[in-house]
């Protein structure tokens, strides 16, 4: 029941909850984590060679018969025992290298602690009892893992990277516990340390932490196994004899395979992770061309007639007035400072010529569709030259009409 509940919790915590691009590890990284450890019930076998020999001696058999009986009792007559485990915890730290294609390799140091809760044996009339103690395992693994790129493989763009892996290594197991056998005067103690080959399977997911490139939170499930038949220290049995004296026999223990189920939360940091590229700059749409607000129409010397080029410019101004916000058109006429009769007489003539030119442009604007009421005309004569000149100078750019859109 505890195993099913823990598996469900791990499945729930590995559900994607964010949306962004997941990290691909290239180069070195470190990983640390810890969590809940559930050790399966262990089976073991004990054989008390010294006890068998002493029992035979107490029978006071002739030497030949005692020798025969000693040889007839083999280690196959050992007792079968089980040790039940309660809650435990685990922790690990690893250093690895990502190859940029999802594959990673790492070395790991691990430590596991588990409470021992109950002991049973086929000896002592099927003895059993509540155990007080714990066992520990510690060692290292070499792991190979593969990160599953959800975007590349399935088109799912989320900041979550599932991963799977396997590992092989070596673990030492240290046992120290004591069990008072129910309805008995015996206490059974286990103690000692030995090691064996170990292996593990890993499945989990890494979640990118926003704002910190390379930093991820991980959740994972691990199953660790150790091979069978490794001897583990000494089994001490304390027996109270009829004279109320303790008697201790030293038995050897052989453990069967050991399995740990682990549910881990951790943090991983990849050193060479570049920050995500900035979002592409929005396309710059050039503004629509704005119609000119001022148009210049030029005239021949002492003339007010519109040339073909002048008519084309007036037509552009008329068209622009219908496409841009325009309330009125200002038409201003000008001349240069040359005249057939210089002096006040010439200035008066040029003033009239500039107004005549403005009226020519107004008439053309009306022909091009502009309402007469929207046109204001002015004549400024020689005033406001576009190009400053000396007196009595013929300057083509000063012989003009300005059309201004308001």
């Amino acid at each position: 029941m505890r195993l099913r509940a823990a598996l469900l919790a791990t499945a729930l915590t590995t559900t994607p909850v964010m949306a962004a691009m997941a990290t691909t590890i290239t180069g070195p990284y470190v990983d640390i984590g810890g969590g809940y450890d559930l050790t399966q019930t262990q089976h073991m076998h004990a054989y008390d060679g010294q006890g068998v020999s002493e029992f035979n001696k107490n029978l006071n058999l002739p030497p030949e018969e005692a020798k025969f009986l000693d040889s007839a009792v083999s280690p196959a007559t050992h007792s079968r025992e089980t040790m039940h485990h309660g809650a435990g915890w685990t922790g690990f730290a690893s250093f690895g290298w990502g190859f940029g294609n999802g594959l990673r390799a790492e070395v790991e140091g691990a430590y596991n602690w588990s409470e021992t809760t109950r002991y049973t044996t086929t000896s002592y009339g099927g003895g059993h009892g509540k155990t007080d103690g714990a066992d520990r395992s510690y060692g290292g693994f070499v792991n190979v893992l593969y990160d599953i790129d959800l975007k590349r493989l399935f088109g799912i763009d989320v900041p979550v990277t599932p991963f799977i892996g396997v590992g092989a290594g070596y673990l030492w197991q240290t046992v120290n516990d004591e069990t008072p056998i129910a309805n008995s005067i015996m206490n059974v103690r286990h103690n000692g340390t030995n090691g064996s080959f170990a292996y593990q399977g890993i499945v989990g997911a890494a979640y990118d932490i926003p704002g910190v490139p390379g930093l991820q939170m991980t959740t994972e499930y691990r199953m660790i196994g150790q091979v069978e038949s490794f001897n583990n220290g000494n089994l001490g049995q304390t027996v109270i004899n009829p004279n109320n004296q303790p008697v201790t026999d030293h038995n050897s223990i052989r453990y069967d395979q050991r399995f740990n189920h682990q549910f881990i939360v951790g943090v991983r940091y990849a050193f060479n992770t570049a920050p995500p590229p900035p979002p592409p700059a929005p396309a710059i749409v050039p503004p629509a061309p704005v119609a000119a607000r001022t148009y210049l129409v030029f005239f021949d010397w002492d003339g007010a007639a519109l040339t073909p080029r002048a008519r084309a410019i007036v037509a552009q101004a008329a068209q622009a007035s219908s496409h841009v916000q325009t309330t009125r058109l200002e038409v201003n006429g000008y001349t240069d400072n040359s005249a057939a009769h210089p002096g006040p007489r010439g200035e008066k003539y040029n003033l009239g010529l500039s107004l005549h030119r403005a009226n020519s442009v107004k008439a053309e604007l009306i022909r091009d569709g502009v309402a007469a009421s929207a046109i204001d005309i002015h004549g400024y004569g020689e005033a406001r030259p576009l190009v400053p000149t000396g007196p009595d100078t013929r300057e083509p750019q000063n012989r003009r009409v300005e059309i201004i859109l308001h």
Side-chain angles (χ1 to χ4, degrees):
M1 185 67 181
R2 288 179 299 156
L3 178 58
R4 288 197 298 269
L7 283 170
L8 178 60
T10 300
L12 291 175
T13 58
T14 55
T15 303
V17 294
M18 297 175 288
M21 184 176 178
T23 296
T24 298
I25 297 179
T26 301
Y29 67 91
V30 292
D31 196 0
I32 59 173
Y36 179 76
D37 175 89
L38 175 63
T39 303
Q40 288 187 202
T41 298
Q42 272 190 283
H43 295 273
M44 52 190 176
H45 311 274
Y47 171 65
D48 186 0
Q50 178 182 345
V52 171
S53 179
E54 291 177 355
F55 175 78
N56 292 342
K57 290 179 181 178
N58 291 335
L59 295 179
N60 295 319
L61 297 174
E64 293 77 7
E65 295 181 15
K67 182 178 180 180
F68 173 80
L69 188 57
D70 282 343
S71 63
V73 180
S74 72
T77 62
H78 55 245
S79 62
R80 300 182 62 84
E81 305 175 353
T82 59
M83 180 61 71
H84 299 260
H85 296 259
W89 60 270
T90 181
F92 77 91
S94 62
F95 174 81
W97 187 274
F99 298 97
N101 58 359
L103 283 176
R104 294 185 285 119
E106 64 182 25
V107 292
E108 172 197 324
Y111 184 90
N112 310 303
W113 180 93
S114 178
E115 180 186 15
T116 51
T117 59
R118 181 175 175 81
Y119 165 78
T120 64
T121 178
T122 56
S123 299
Y124 323 124
H128 60 86
K130 182 178 179 181
T131 302
D132 181 20
D135 73 359
R136 302 163 181 82
S137 61
Y138 49 90
F141 291 91
V142 175
N143 302 321
V144 177
L145 304 104
Y146 181 72
D147 295 328
I148 301 172
D149 189 334
L150 294 178
K151 182 177 181 180
R152 180 176 61 85
L153 297 176
F154 307 106
I156 303 173
D157 190 8
V158 292
V160 180
T161 306
F163 58 87
I164 56 175
V166 294
Y170 198 87
L171 290 178
W172 287 267
Q173 181 180 1
T174 296
V175 179
N176 188 7
D177 58 50
E178 181 174 346
T179 306
I181 301 299
N183 302 318
S184 170
I185 59 174
M186 297 181 185
N187 281 352
V188 177
R189 295 190 181 99
H190 297 126
N191 61 83
T193 300
N194 210 334
S196 73
F197 171 79
Y199 54 91
Q200 66 176 342
I202 305 169
V203 59
Y207 308 83
D208 291 351
I209 296 179
V212 186
L215 186 62
Q216 297 176 300
M217 184 185 78
T218 60
T219 58
E220 56 190 271
Y221 163 75
R222 298 186 177 204
M223 192 284 292
I224 298 178
Q226 285 180 264
V227 299
E228 62 180 341
S229 301
F230 63 94
N231 293 329
N232 193 85
N234 297 315
L235 167 63
Q237 296 179 352
T238 301
V239 181
I240 305 301
N241 65 15
N243 296 324
N244 202 29
Q245 294 175 338
V247 177
T248 300
D249 294 334
H250 297 283
N251 293 10
S252 63
I253 300 174
R254 191 184 72 213
Y255 278 87
D256 287 348
Q257 293 191 42
R258 171 188 175 95
F259 296 102
N260 296 69
H261 302 276
Q262 300 177 341
F263 307 90
I264 299 172
V265 176
V267 176
R268 184 168 68 201
Y269 182 74
F271 292 96
N272 290 344
T273 303
I284 299 176
V285 179
V290 178
R293 309 294 297 190
T294 301
Y295 296 84
L296 296 178
V297 179
F298 296 100
F299 293 84
D300 293 333
W301 184 79
D302 196 27
L306 296 175
T307 66
R309 174 59 181 162
R311 294 181 188 280
I313 293 174
V314 173
Q316 291 178 12
Q319 185 178 18
S321 68
S322 63
H323 289 84
V324 298
Q325 187 175 1
T326 303
T327 58
R328 64 187 179 89
L329 284 76
E330 184 179 353
V331 178
N332 301 320
Y334 302 92
T335 68
D336 58 25
N337 60 10
S338 66
H341 303 283
R345 181 180 174 184
E347 292 176 1
K348 182 178 179 181
Y349 177 84
N350 283 340
L351 185 62
L353 179 59
S354 66
L355 188 60
H356 185 37
R357 289 171 174 171
N359 277 312
S360 296
V361 170
K362 177 180 177 180
E364 187 68 19
L365 286 170
I366 293 172
R367 281 192 291 271
D368 288 336
V370 179
S373 60
I375 305 171
D376 296 332
I377 63 170
H378 304 90
Y380 294 101
E382 301 174 9
R384 305 178 187 178
L386 189 64
V387 178
T389 65
D392 197 24
T393 302
R394 296 186 180 188
E395 172 53 53
Q397 294 191 62
N398 290 338
R399 301 192 298 266
R400 72 195 189 279
V401 167
E402 292 179 351
I403 305 171
I404 304 173
L405 307 184
H406 294 280

